Amino acid sequence: MKSDIILSGVGGQGIISIAAAIGEAALINDLHMKQAEVHGMSQRGGAVQSTLRVSSKPIASDLIAYGAADMILSVEPMESLRYLNYLKPEGWLITNAVPFVNIDDYPNIETIYAEIRKIKNHVIIDADEIAGKVATKRASNMVMLGAATLFIDIPLESVKEGIRQIFGKKGEAMTQSNIDAMLAGREAAELYMKQNR
Amino acid sequence: MLGDEAIAQAGLDAGISGMYAYPGTPSTEIMEYIQHSKQAKENKVHAKWSTNEKTSMESALGMSYAGKRALCAMKHVGLNVAADAFINAAITGVNGGLIVISADDPSMHSSQNEQDNRFYGKFAQIPILEPTNQQEAYDMIHYGFELSEEFKVPVLMRITTRLAHSRAGIETRSPRPQNQLVLPKDPMQFILLPSIARKNYRTLLGNFRSFVDASEESDFNQFIDGPDKSLGIITCGIAYNYLVENYEDQNVPYPVLKVGQYPLPRKLIEKMMNTCKEVLVIEDGYPMVEEMLKGYLGKENIRGRLDGSLPRDGELNPNLVLAAIKKEKFEIEPIPSTVANRLPAMCKGCGHIDAYLALNEALLEHGKGRVFADIGCYTLGAYEPYQAISTCVDMGASITMAKGAADAGLVPAVAVIGDSTFTHSGITGLIDAVIGKSPITIVISDNYTTGMTGGQDSAALGRIEQICEGVGVDPAHIKIFHPTPAHHDEMVALLKEELAYDGVSVIIPRRQCVQTMKDKDLAIKVKELGLNNRK
Ligand SMILES: Cc1ncc(C[n+]2csc(CCOP(=O)(O)OP(=O)(O)O)c2C)c(N)n1
């Protein structure tokens, strides 16, 4: 198997936790993994991007080539488009529908949705609302992780285990609510796929 | 582990007695890892932040003098600050092993330039290690210490952002005990009086041949043969990954020389030049190796960044490398035009914002172009809606540039500097200003932390006024402020007053960084110092 994923969002939205959970899940399955993070300057409310590569074969580059990503997974809709030139023609774009508006010239959200819908394989879900229902809004990143699991060839159980490993220190309740959020995201993506076929 | 963490763990496993550093992206996590490591605590490994890169380099050299292994890390521009100590450490040589890590930042993800510090290693004429991946980074630290102790020289390890901040699984080794405290055999070794320095320098020059031999034999330099000799490819460090990424099962059809240790392995280079028609050099950073092989007259069969096969600046990637091999141009596809820029910004509720709002208003009557800023979160005051500053050059340059501009007649001139930057390299400039009686207003925006790099300790904590007084600023012109919207008018009035003063004044807007509110250790220190009690 091989999954090259670009994660995107705004500094502070928790894309590193998504990467860490998938990364742990990959290691449980003895897969190779490389994950590039963003630190420093760009974290201050700016656009952030991280790459995650998982494969059954050794991985060379920390960076994913342009036009080679299997998936863009974004916790913010405009940010999902910022790295579009990395996506393969048949790759998946999976994004949260809720904009994070911290700039004056944030574009009309409908034009953003329209751009996203131009992509053949896409999923848009309201991760904030879903997270709010089953856990807390803060867990919207785990909702997006759940949506992505539909398209990554790693057993769901290992993803749960991955979440346990990164949130374990924060207690059982926190861990469970993140797992719930993840499962709800997966369900929402399934529903989206059915409705938009 | 992150590349940075792999280096830190390797240091601990190789038996370092101390780690010295000043924060700087992308090197910061090396020290942070050691600070949080149980192994480091149990073995009493020194792991406190230094005030700047020069003090860190010198402390590391001192530890080496005492016979122990030391690690020193900094971002690339930090080595400019530490350069005096670094270059001279090559002349003194070491006693215990010493490795200096330079974390370079091609494409300037969070830096003001993309200087390639392999040049510093070459300049100092010492061995350089440049890992391809996180595992090599780990292994190279072990090897580097052996090399350093064998030849009694410091060793430079050059990494880049991509390696530092990318995670991979690491196989570690069992820890080696720390060195015993032992003085240098030659009691004169570290005294660089001309007569001794000349002798030491000749020893260093004499060792160069051995450094090359070590490179020839090193596992980190590999000649990997390929059937198609129309092209040979030399990769430096991480560039190797961008090459093999393009081939199924990493099988490159051309001969490849994978370089991870310098000085360059001469025989392997000759082998490549003799068997291949053309040679493509792929290196992240400056075209250092390419330039060496091309020579002054520019041998035509050497390709790389200089002949346009690869872009002259910026970080490499697999697409650019493939295009260079195929002699094609690679153009990045544009992204949808609806996507707006989202630049980094100061946090909501940040004290720097209130300081700038007041400063902007106080300066209205004088006009724009008078604020000399420095490096830190407050540099983001350059963007809208503040547009509050005119310069940001290198750490410490605010006070000194304001002084120079005031000397030229730009009065009033204002310097804006953060607390950590002030102790890093603002103090010496302040002394210049005091001695010159310069008519400048210095705003030291104190948030109790080194904010931009993630909230590390600030050496300035609780001692800024004392330092200013100590170097001779008139206490009547040192004013402290609590920057909040409620105090806006008061601050404006006070700034105006000091702008009118014909001499050095220091204004300290003081409020804790909102990102550090959960830091318990800091909370205790702030309370002990009574910082929040004063207005
Ligand atoms: C020579 C050098 N070392 C380190 C850095 C990395 N760096 C950039 S800003 C900064 C810290 C600034 O801290 P402070 O002055 O307290 O301002 P704050 O970010 O907290 O507002 C550091 C360490 C650098 N740019 N140059």
Side-chain angles (χ1 to χ4, degrees), chain B residues 29-271:
Chain B
E29 293 78 8
I30 304 174
M31 177 64 114
E32 289 184 332
Y33 181 92
I34 293 184
Q35 288 177 337
H36 294 123
S37 152
K38 233 173 83 193
Q39 185 182 349
K41 235 170 244 132
E42 281 165 11
N43 295 298
K44 299 201 168 57
V45 175
H46 175 281
K48 290 240 155 52
W49 291 111
S50 303
T51 305
N52 67 34
E53 292 85 356
K54 180 169 182 283
T55 65
S56 76
M57 176 72 216
E58 290 156 351
S59 304
L61 186 63
M63 181 165 271
S64 157
Y65 171 92
K68 306 226 174 184
R69 289 186 168 184
L71 204 55
C72 177
M74 57 197 73
K75 76 180 278 150
H76 58 346
V77 287
L79 197 47
N80 300 334
V81 177
D84 199 10
F86 175 75
I87 302 286
N88 286 311
I91 314 288
T92 61
V94 305
N95 187 21
L98 173 61
I99 299 182
V100 179
I101 317 273
S102 165
D104 295 3
D105 190 16
S107 275
M108 309 180 218
H109 298 284
S110 19
S111 309
Q112 46 308 21
N113 75 29
E114 60 171 22
Q115 69 184 60
D116 184 334
N117 280 1
R118 291 178 301 170
F119 278 97
Y120 266 117
K122 190 162 179 276
F123 190 27
Q125 306 178 73
I126 60 175
I128 310 169
L129 301 173
E130 189 183 14
T132 303
N133 55 42
Q134 291 73 10
Q135 182 68 51
E136 265 190 20
Y138 179 88
D139 296 333
M140 276 181 175
I141 291 289
H142 291 268
Y143 171 79
F145 275 119
E146 281 160 26
L147 193 68
S148 172
E149 286 174 355
E150 182 183 349
F151 294 109
K152 297 276 169 219
V153 281
V155 168
L156 177 70
M157 182 192 260
R158 186 243 191 182
I159 58 171
T160 57
T161 303
R162 216 39 80 179
L163 185 114
H165 285 170
S166 172
R167 236 172 244 289
I170 301 290
E171 253 174 68
T172 61
R173 306 182 192 178
S174 52
R176 165 194 179 282
Q178 293 183 22
N179 289 357
Q180 297 294 322
L181 188 77
V182 47
L183 294 181
K185 262 202 214 92
D186 171 4
M188 310 292 260
Q189 181 192 336
F190 284 80
I191 308 174
L192 293 188
L193 278 167
S195 59
I196 304 167
R198 270 179 226 122
K199 184 174 134 274
N200 284 6
Y201 184 50
R202 269 180 234 123
T203 307
L204 177 68
L205 293 177
N207 272 337
F208 192 78
R209 194 56 251 174
S210 315
F211 299 162
V212 176
D213 290 346
S215 284
E216 305 277 11
E217 284 156 24
S218 170
D219 291 342
F220 300 117
N221 290 329
Q222 275 178 21
F223 190 95
I224 307 152
D225 212 353
D228 186 347
K229 312 280 195 247
S230 64
L231 181 70
I233 302 176
I234 298 177
T235 65
C236 301
I238 200 164
Y240 178 75
N241 306 339
Y242 301 143
L243 170 66
V244 298
E245 179 69 25
N246 287 300
Y247 297 94
E248 185 71 27
D249 290 325
Q250 312 195 356
N251 273 326
V252 184
Y254 312 102
V256 175
L257 174 54
K258 173 174 176 284
V259 174
Q261 182 174 342
Y262 309 77
L264 285 175
R266 193 184 170 93
K267 285 186 203 134
L268 297 180
I269 298 267
E270 275 170 358
K271 185 170 165 190

Side-chain angles (χ1 to χ4, degrees), chain B residues 325-340:
Chain B
I325 293 170
K326 293 186 172 169
K327 302 194 178 177
E328 289 170 357
K329 269 257 157 303
F330 171 69
E331 303 271 355
I332 299 176
E333 280 198 34
I335 56 167
S337 56
T338 46
V339 178

